[in-house]
Amino acid sequence: MLLCSVSAQAQTKPEETEVWSPEPARVTPATATHAPSDAVLLFDGANLNEWVSTAAPDKPAPWTVANGVFTVRPGSGNIQTRRQFGDYQLHLEWRIPADIKGTGQDRGNSGLFLASTGANDRGYELQILDCVNNKTYVNGQAASIYKQSIPLVNACAGAGEWQTYDVIWTAPRFAEDGSLASPAYVTALHNGVLVQNHVALRGETVYIGKPSYTKHGRAPIKLQDHRHLVSFRNVWVRELETAN
């Protein structure tokens, strides 16, 4: 107690605990229609130049673009970004058709794969689905880390309304021998509401069985063709740091 008192008395000026440098970089913040100044714009409203076919990454993304929006072309396959990312902040807006039919998983189904680790649906999926008055398994509803983490709340807007995902992705780290050094973490907000709070993932998304990890590095972001007419707009990403 005496040592603490002496130390406190030795610091007599507030300036002694002020830090002036280095200064954080200046970033112009996002607006409803513009990305932050340091973001990579993944969709500019006009084309899908930042996206490719997952099945054939040397070919352009085959989904449709119209009126500042791009939409799944059912049966054409998943699409993923040309670029690869490590840790990042992502903003994405999505919409289920107002006249959607079906129930359960057959109602406006798509997926945001936070890292695509291979063909088809390999990677880590944040589910997209209409979950207003639509009952399904809770670890498969909108804003779930599919088959892994149930969202804290159901923050879905109605079919036909634009919805937002804001995600902080921390990529997994691997040792030289391929063993897991640190898991992936996800923090996600759905329509401005916290739904995943720094959740540690148990591995890549799987439909059947238990998730597990396979060593990988930087990876594309992927969107799923689940044969439903889900639309997207205003997609941007801010890289935070490089993953292993």
Side-chain angles (χ1 to χ4, degrees):
M1 290 295 290
L2 179 59
L3 288 175
C4 290
S5 177
V6 170
S7 177
Q9 290 175 8
Q11 296 180 2
T12 58
K13 297 179 180 180
E15 292 83 0
E16 292 176 357
T17 53
E18 294 174 358
V19 178
W20 285 71
S21 65
E23 293 186 43
R26 170 63 180 156
V27 173
T28 303
T31 66
T33 55
H34 292 86
S37 58
D38 65 344
V40 174
L41 192 61
L42 295 179
F43 179 62
D44 64 1
N47 59 66
L48 286 172
N49 289 348
E50 287 287 340
W51 299 81
V52 296
S53 165
T54 297
D58 60 331
K59 295 182 179 178
W63 293 7
T64 59
V65 179
N67 302 316
V69 171
F70 69 99
T71 303
V72 176
R73 179 177 287 166
S76 65
N78 298 344
I79 65 172
Q80 65 187 36
T81 56
R82 290 185 181 276
R83 310 187 198 204
Q84 297 183 337
F85 301 96
D87 300 345
Y88 60 74
Q89 172 190 351
L90 174 72
H91 176 86
L92 175 142
E93 298 176 14
W94 54 275
R95 181 180 64 188
I96 304 296
D99 59 351
I100 189 70
K101 301 293 192 295
T103 60
Q105 293 289 303
D106 190 33
R107 190 174 175 85
N109 194 325
S110 183
L112 166 60
F113 285 78
L114 303 172
S116 174
T117 58
N120 302 317
D121 291 343
R122 282 204 57 191
Y124 311 84
E125 182 184 8
L126 183 66
Q127 176 73 311
I128 292 173
L129 192 73
D130 178 25
C131 282
V132 175
N133 299 319
N134 177 39
K135 198 169 184 63
T136 189
Y137 45 94
V138 293
N139 62 347
Q141 71 178 67
S144 65
I145 305 298
Y146 188 75
K147 291 284 185 85
Q148 287 198 56
S149 180
I150 301 164
L152 297 173
V153 294
N154 180 346
C156 264
E161 298 181 47
W162 281 104
Q163 312 197 46
T164 62
Y165 277 164
D166 289 285
V167 181
I168 306 299
W169 165 255
T170 303
R173 270 61 170 169
F174 298 90
E176 289 296 326
D177 63 0
S179 61
L180 183 68
S182 178
Y185 290 93
V186 176
T187 295
L189 287 84
H190 183 193
N191 295 326
V193 178
L194 183 67
V195 288
Q196 300 289 345
N197 189 10
H198 196 59
V199 173
L201 273 59
R202 299 190 300 278
E204 296 182 31
T205 296
V206 289
Y207 181 53
I208 299 173
K210 301 294 185 181
S212 63
Y213 282 100
T214 301
K215 183 180 180 181
H216 65 84
R218 294 168 65 85
I221 296 165
K222 179 164 60 184
L223 294 173
Q224 184 186 50
D225 168 17
H226 209 283
R227 297 181 179 270
H228 293 182
L229 292 171
V230 179
S231 297
F232 302 88
R233 70 179 185 187
N234 198 17
V235 188
W236 52 259
V237 61
R238 295 180 62 247
E239 295 195 75
L240 301 179
E241 62 180 79
T242 303
N244 289 355

Coordinates of all heavy atoms in Angstrom, one line a residue, residues 101-163:
K101 N -41.8 -18.3 -51.4 CA -42.6 -19.4 -50.9 C -41.7 -20.4 -50.2 O -40.5 -20.3 -50.2 CB -43.3 -20.1 -52.1 CG -44.2 -19.1 -53.0 CD -45.4 -18.7 -52.2 CE -46.4 -18.0 -53.1 NZ -45.9 -16.8 -53.7
G102 N -42.3 -21.4 -49.6 CA -41.5 -22.5 -49.0 C -41.5 -22.3 -47.5 O -41.9 -21.3 -46.9
T103 N -40.9 -23.3 -46.8 CA -40.8 -23.3 -45.4 C -39.4 -23.8 -45.0 O -38.7 -24.5 -45.8 CB -41.9 -24.2 -44.7 OG1 -41.7 -25.5 -45.2 CG2 -43.3 -23.6 -45.0
G104 N -39.1 -23.6 -43.7 CA -37.8 -24.1 -43.2 C -36.6 -23.6 -44.0 O -36.5 -22.5 -44.3
Q105 N -35.7 -24.6 -44.4 CA -34.5 -24.2 -45.1 C -34.8 -23.9 -46.6 O -33.9 -23.4 -47.3 CB -33.5 -25.3 -45.0 CG -33.0 -25.6 -43.6 CD -32.0 -24.4 -43.2 OE1 -31.0 -24.1 -43.8 NE2 -32.3 -23.8 -42.0
D106 N -36.0 -24.1 -47.0 CA -36.4 -23.8 -48.4 C -37.1 -22.5 -48.5 O -38.2 -22.4 -49.2 CB -37.3 -25.0 -48.9 CG -37.5 -24.9 -50.4 OD1 -36.6 -24.5 -51.1 OD2 -38.6 -25.3 -50.9
R107 N -36.5 -21.5 -47.9 CA -37.2 -20.2 -47.9 C -36.2 -19.1 -47.9 O -35.8 -18.6 -46.9 CB -38.1 -20.1 -46.7 CG -39.1 -18.8 -46.7 CD -40.1 -18.8 -45.6 NE -40.8 -17.6 -45.6 CZ -41.9 -17.4 -46.3 NH1 -42.4 -18.3 -47.1 NH2 -42.6 -16.2 -46.3
G108 N -35.7 -18.7 -49.1 CA -34.8 -17.6 -49.2 C -33.4 -18.0 -48.7 O -32.7 -17.2 -48.0
N109 N -32.9 -19.2 -49.1 CA -31.7 -19.7 -48.5 C -30.5 -19.3 -49.4 O -30.5 -19.4 -50.6 CB -31.8 -21.2 -48.5 CG -30.7 -21.9 -47.6 OD1 -29.6 -21.4 -47.6 ND2 -31.0 -23.0 -47.0
S110 N -29.5 -18.8 -48.7 CA -28.2 -18.5 -49.3 C -27.2 -18.6 -48.1 O -27.5 -18.9 -47.0 CB -28.1 -17.2 -50.0 OG -26.8 -17.0 -50.6
G111 N -25.9 -18.2 -48.4 CA -24.9 -18.3 -47.3 C -23.8 -17.3 -47.6 O -23.4 -17.2 -48.8
L112 N -23.3 -16.7 -46.6 CA -22.1 -15.9 -46.7 C -20.9 -16.7 -46.1 O -20.9 -17.0 -44.9 CB -22.3 -14.6 -45.9 CG -21.0 -13.8 -45.6 CD1 -20.3 -13.3 -46.9 CD2 -21.4 -12.5 -44.7
F113 N -20.0 -17.2 -46.9 CA -18.9 -17.9 -46.5 C -17.7 -17.0 -46.2 O -17.2 -16.3 -47.1 CB -18.5 -19.0 -47.5 CG -19.4 -20.2 -47.5 CD1 -20.6 -20.1 -48.2 CD2 -19.1 -21.3 -46.9 CE1 -21.5 -21.2 -48.2 CE2 -19.9 -22.4 -46.9 CZ -21.1 -22.3 -47.5
L114 N -17.4 -16.8 -44.9 CA -16.4 -15.8 -44.4 C -15.0 -16.1 -44.9 O -14.2 -15.2 -45.0 CB -16.5 -15.7 -42.9 CG -17.9 -15.4 -42.4 CD1 -18.0 -15.5 -40.9 CD2 -18.3 -14.0 -42.9
A115 N -14.8 -17.4 -45.2 CA -13.5 -17.8 -45.9 C -13.9 -19.0 -46.7 O -14.4 -20.0 -46.2 CB -12.4 -18.1 -44.9
S116 N -13.7 -19.0 -48.0 CA -13.9 -20.1 -48.9 C -12.6 -20.9 -49.0 O -11.6 -20.4 -49.4 CB -14.3 -19.6 -50.3 OG -14.4 -20.7 -51.2
T117 N -12.7 -22.2 -48.5 CA -11.5 -23.0 -48.5 C -11.5 -24.1 -49.6 O -10.6 -25.0 -49.6 CB -11.4 -23.7 -47.1 OG1 -12.6 -24.5 -46.9 CG2 -11.2 -22.7 -46.0
G118 N -12.4 -24.0 -50.5 CA -12.4 -25.0 -51.6 C -13.7 -24.9 -52.4 O -14.5 -24.0 -52.3
A119 N -13.9 -25.9 -53.3 CA -15.1 -25.9 -54.2 C -16.4 -26.1 -53.4 O -16.4 -26.4 -52.2 CB -14.9 -27.0 -55.2
N120 N -17.4 -25.8 -54.1 CA -18.8 -26.0 -53.5 C -19.0 -25.2 -52.2 O -18.7 -24.0 -52.2 CB -19.1 -27.5 -53.3 CG -18.9 -28.3 -54.6 OD1 -19.4 -27.8 -55.7 ND2 -18.3 -29.4 -54.6
D121 N -19.4 -25.9 -51.2 CA -19.7 -25.2 -49.9 C -18.6 -25.3 -48.9 O -18.9 -25.3 -47.7 CB -21.0 -25.6 -49.3 CG -22.2 -25.2 -50.2 OD1 -22.0 -24.3 -51.0 OD2 -23.3 -25.8 -50.1
R122 N -17.3 -25.5 -49.3 CA -16.3 -25.6 -48.3 C -15.9 -24.2 -47.7 O -15.8 -23.2 -48.5 CB -15.0 -26.2 -48.9 CG -15.1 -27.7 -49.1 CD -13.7 -28.3 -49.1 NE -12.9 -27.9 -48.0 CZ -11.6 -28.2 -47.8 NH1 -10.9 -28.7 -48.8 NH2 -11.0 -27.8 -46.7
G123 N -15.8 -24.1 -46.4 CA -15.5 -22.8 -45.8 C -16.3 -22.7 -44.5 O -16.7 -23.7 -43.9
Y124 N -16.5 -21.4 -44.1 CA -17.2 -21.1 -42.8 C -18.4 -20.2 -43.1 O -18.3 -19.1 -43.5 CB -16.2 -20.3 -41.9 CG -14.8 -21.0 -41.8 CD1 -13.8 -20.8 -42.7 CD2 -14.5 -21.8 -40.7 CE1 -12.6 -21.3 -42.6 CE2 -13.2 -22.3 -40.5 CZ -12.3 -22.1 -41.5 OH -11.0 -22.7 -41.4
E125 N -19.6 -20.8 -42.9 CA -20.8 -20.2 -43.4 C -21.6 -19.4 -42.3 O -21.9 -20.0 -41.3 CB -21.7 -21.2 -44.0 CG -23.0 -20.6 -44.6 CD -24.0 -21.6 -45.2 OE1 -23.7 -22.9 -44.9 OE2 -25.0 -21.3 -45.8
L126 N -21.9 -18.2 -42.6 CA -22.9 -17.4 -41.9 C -24.2 -17.5 -42.7 O -24.3 -17.1 -43.8 CB -22.5 -16.0 -41.7 CG -23.4 -15.0 -40.9 CD1 -23.4 -15.4 -39.4 CD2 -22.9 -13.6 -41.0
Q127 N -25.3 -18.1 -42.1 CA -26.5 -18.4 -42.9 C -27.3 -17.2 -43.3 O -27.4 -16.2 -42.5 CB -27.3 -19.4 -42.0 CG -28.7 -19.8 -42.6 CD -28.6 -20.7 -43.8 OE1 -27.8 -20.5 -44.7 NE2 -29.4 -21.8 -43.8
I128 N -27.9 -17.3 -44.5 CA -28.8 -16.3 -44.9 C -30.1 -17.1 -45.2 O -30.1 -18.1 -45.9 CB -28.3 -15.6 -46.2 CG1 -27.1 -14.7 -45.9 CG2 -29.5 -14.8 -46.9 CD1 -26.5 -14.1 -47.1
L129 N -31.2 -16.6 -44.6 CA -32.5 -17.3 -44.7 C -33.6 -16.3 -44.2 O -33.4 -15.5 -43.4 CB -32.5 -18.5 -43.8 CG -33.6 -19.6 -43.9 CD1 -33.4 -20.3 -45.2 CD2 -33.6 -20.5 -42.7
D130 N -34.8 -16.6 -44.7 CA -36.0 -15.8 -44.2 C -36.4 -16.5 -42.9 O -36.9 -17.7 -42.9 CB -37.1 -15.8 -45.2 CG -38.4 -15.1 -44.6 OD1 -38.2 -14.3 -43.7 OD2 -39.5 -15.4 -45.1
C131 N -36.3 -15.8 -41.8 CA -36.6 -16.4 -40.5 C -37.7 -15.6 -39.7 O -37.7 -15.5 -38.5 CB -35.4 -16.5 -39.6 SG -34.4 -18.0 -40.1
V132 N -38.6 -14.9 -40.5 CA -39.7 -14.3 -39.9 C -40.9 -15.2 -40.0 O -41.3 -15.6 -41.1 CB -40.0 -12.9 -40.5 CG1 -41.3 -12.3 -40.0 CG2 -38.9 -12.0 -40.4
N133 N -41.4 -15.7 -38.9 CA -42.5 -16.7 -38.9 C -42.2 -17.9 -39.8 O -43.0 -18.4 -40.6 CB -43.8 -16.0 -39.4 CG -44.2 -14.9 -38.6 OD1 -44.2 -15.0 -37.3 ND2 -44.7 -13.8 -39.2
N134 N -40.9 -18.3 -39.7 CA -40.5 -19.5 -40.5 C -39.6 -20.4 -39.6 O -38.5 -20.1 -39.3 CB -39.7 -19.1 -41.7 CG -39.1 -20.3 -42.5 OD1 -39.8 -21.3 -42.6 ND2 -37.9 -20.2 -42.9
K135 N -40.2 -21.5 -39.1 CA -39.5 -22.3 -38.1 C -38.5 -23.2 -38.8 O -38.8 -23.9 -39.8 CB -40.6 -23.1 -37.3 CG -40.0 -23.7 -36.0 CD -41.1 -24.3 -35.2 CE -40.7 -24.7 -33.8 NZ -40.1 -23.7 -33.0
T136 N -37.3 -23.3 -38.2 CA -36.3 -24.2 -38.7 C -35.4 -24.6 -37.5 O -35.6 -24.1 -36.4 CB -35.5 -23.6 -39.9 OG1 -34.6 -24.7 -40.4 CG2 -34.7 -22.5 -39.4
Y137 N -34.4 -25.4 -37.7 CA -33.5 -25.7 -36.6 C -32.7 -24.5 -36.3 O -32.2 -23.8 -37.2 CB -32.6 -26.9 -36.9 CG -32.0 -27.0 -38.3 CD1 -30.7 -26.5 -38.5 CD2 -32.6 -27.6 -39.3 CE1 -30.1 -26.6 -39.8 CE2 -32.1 -27.7 -40.6 CZ -30.8 -27.2 -40.8 OH -30.2 -27.3 -42.1
V138 N -32.5 -24.1 -35.0 CA -32.0 -22.8 -34.6 C -30.5 -22.6 -35.0 O -30.1 -21.5 -35.1 CB -32.2 -22.5 -33.1 CG1 -33.7 -22.4 -32.9 CG2 -31.6 -23.6 -32.3
N139 N -29.7 -23.7 -35.1 CA -28.4 -23.5 -35.6 C -28.3 -23.5 -37.1 O -27.2 -23.6 -37.7 CB -27.4 -24.6 -35.0 CG -27.8 -26.0 -35.4 OD1 -28.8 -26.3 -35.9 ND2 -26.9 -26.9 -35.1
G140 N -29.4 -23.3 -37.8 CA -29.5 -23.2 -39.2 C -30.3 -22.0 -39.6 O -30.5 -21.8 -40.8
Q141 N -30.7 -21.2 -38.6 CA -31.5 -20.0 -39.0 C -30.6 -18.9 -39.4 O -29.4 -18.9 -39.4 CB -32.4 -19.6 -37.8 CG -31.7 -19.0 -36.6 CD -32.6 -18.5 -35.5 OE1 -33.2 -19.4 -34.9 NE2 -32.7 -17.2 -35.3
A142 N -31.2 -17.8 -39.9 CA -30.5 -16.6 -40.3 C -29.5 -16.1 -39.2 O -29.9 -16.2 -38.0 CB -31.4 -15.5 -40.7
A143 N -28.3 -15.8 -39.6 CA -27.3 -15.3 -38.7 C -26.7 -16.3 -37.8 O -25.9 -16.0 -36.9 CB -27.8 -14.1 -37.8
S144 N -27.0 -17.6 -38.0 CA -26.3 -18.7 -37.3 C -25.0 -18.9 -38.1 O -24.8 -18.7 -39.3 CB -27.1 -20.0 -37.3 OG -27.3 -20.5 -38.7
I145 N -23.9 -19.3 -37.3 CA -22.8 -19.9 -37.9 C -23.3 -21.4 -38.2 O -23.4 -22.1 -37.2 CB -21.5 -19.9 -37.0 CG1 -21.2 -18.5 -36.5 CG2 -20.4 -20.6 -37.7 CD1 -20.9 -17.5 -37.6
Y146 N -23.5 -21.7 -39.4 CA -24.3 -22.8 -39.8 C -23.8 -24.1 -39.1 O -22.7 -24.5 -39.2 CB -24.4 -23.0 -41.3 CG -25.3 -24.1 -41.8 CD1 -26.7 -23.9 -41.8 CD2 -24.8 -25.3 -42.2 CE1 -27.6 -24.8 -42.2 CE2 -25.7 -26.3 -42.6 CZ -27.1 -26.1 -42.6 OH -28.0 -27.0 -42.9
K147 N -24.8 -24.8 -38.4 CA -24.6 -26.0 -37.6 C -23.5 -25.9 -36.5 O -23.1 -26.9 -36.0 CB -24.2 -27.1 -38.6 CG -25.3 -27.6 -39.5 CD -26.3 -28.5 -38.8 CE -27.4 -29.0 -39.8 NZ -26.9 -30.3 -40.4
Q148 N -23.2 -24.6 -36.1 CA -22.2 -24.4 -35.0 C -22.7 -23.5 -33.9 O -22.7 -23.9 -32.8 CB -20.9 -23.9 -35.6 CG -20.1 -24.9 -36.3 CD -18.6 -24.5 -36.5 OE1 -18.0 -24.2 -35.5 NE2 -18.2 -24.4 -37.7
S149 N -23.2 -22.3 -34.3 CA -23.5 -21.3 -33.3 C -24.8 -20.6 -33.5 O -25.0 -20.0 -34.6 CB -22.4 -20.2 -33.2 OG -22.6 -19.3 -32.3
I150 N -25.7 -20.8 -32.6 CA -27.1 -20.2 -32.7 C -26.9 -18.7 -32.5 O -26.2 -18.2 -31.6 CB -28.0 -20.8 -31.6 CG1 -28.0 -22.3 -31.8 CG2 -29.4 -20.2 -31.6 CD1 -28.6 -23.1 -30.6
P151 N -27.6 -17.9 -33.3 CA -27.6 -16.4 -33.0 C -28.2 -16.1 -31.6 O -29.1 -16.8 -31.1 CB -28.4 -15.8 -34.2 CG -29.3 -16.9 -34.6 CD -28.5 -18.2 -34.4
L152 N -27.7 -15.0 -31.1 CA -28.2 -14.6 -29.7 C -29.6 -14.2 -29.8 O -30.4 -14.4 -28.8 CB -27.3 -13.4 -29.2 CG -25.8 -13.7 -29.0 CD1 -25.1 -12.4 -28.7 CD2 -25.6 -14.7 -27.9
V153 N -30.1 -13.6 -30.9 CA -31.5 -13.2 -31.1 C -31.8 -13.4 -32.5 O -31.0 -13.5 -33.4 CB -31.8 -11.8 -30.6 CG1 -31.6 -11.6 -29.1 CG2 -30.9 -10.8 -31.4
N154 N -33.1 -13.4 -32.8 CA -33.6 -13.4 -34.2 C -33.9 -12.0 -34.6 O -34.9 -11.4 -34.2 CB -34.9 -14.3 -34.3 CG -35.4 -14.3 -35.8 OD1 -35.0 -13.5 -36.6 ND2 -36.3 -15.2 -36.0
A155 N -33.0 -11.4 -35.4 CA -33.2 -9.9 -35.8 C -33.6 -9.8 -37.2 O -33.4 -8.7 -37.8 CB -31.8 -9.2 -35.6
C156 N -34.2 -10.8 -37.8 CA -34.6 -10.8 -39.2 C -35.7 -9.7 -39.5 O -36.6 -9.5 -38.7 CB -35.2 -12.1 -39.6 SG -34.0 -13.2 -40.4
A157 N -35.5 -9.1 -40.6 CA -36.5 -8.2 -41.2 C -37.4 -9.1 -42.1 O -37.0 -10.2 -42.4 CB -35.9 -7.0 -41.9
G158 N -38.5 -8.5 -42.6 CA -39.4 -9.3 -43.4 C -38.9 -9.5 -44.8 O -38.0 -8.8 -45.3
A159 N -39.4 -10.5 -45.5 CA -39.1 -10.8 -46.9 C -39.4 -9.5 -47.7 O -40.4 -8.9 -47.5 CB -39.9 -12.0 -47.4
G160 N -38.5 -9.2 -48.6 CA -38.7 -8.0 -49.4 C -38.0 -6.8 -48.9 O -37.8 -5.8 -49.6
E161 N -37.5 -6.9 -47.6 CA -36.8 -5.7 -47.0 C -35.3 -6.0 -47.1 O -34.8 -7.1 -46.9 CB -37.2 -5.6 -45.5 CG -38.7 -5.3 -45.3 CD -39.0 -5.1 -43.8 OE1 -38.3 -4.4 -43.1 OE2 -40.0 -5.7 -43.4
W162 N -34.5 -4.9 -47.2 CA -33.1 -5.1 -47.2 C -32.6 -5.3 -45.8 O -33.1 -4.6 -44.8 CB -32.4 -3.8 -47.8 CG -32.5 -3.8 -49.3 CD1 -33.3 -3.1 -50.1 CD2 -31.7 -4.6 -50.2 NE1 -33.1 -3.4 -51.4 CE2 -32.0 -4.3 -51.5 CE3 -30.6 -5.6 -50.0 CZ2 -31.5 -4.9 -52.6 CZ3 -30.1 -6.2 -51.0 CH2 -30.5 -5.8 -52.4
Q163 N -31.6 -6.2 -45.6 CA -31.1 -6.5 -44.3 C -29.6 -6.4 -44.4 O -29.0 -6.4 -45.5 CB -31.4 -7.9 -43.9 CG -32.9 -8.2 -44.1 CD -33.4 -9.4 -43.3 OE1 -33.0 -9.6 -42.2 NE2 -34.1 -10.3 -44.0

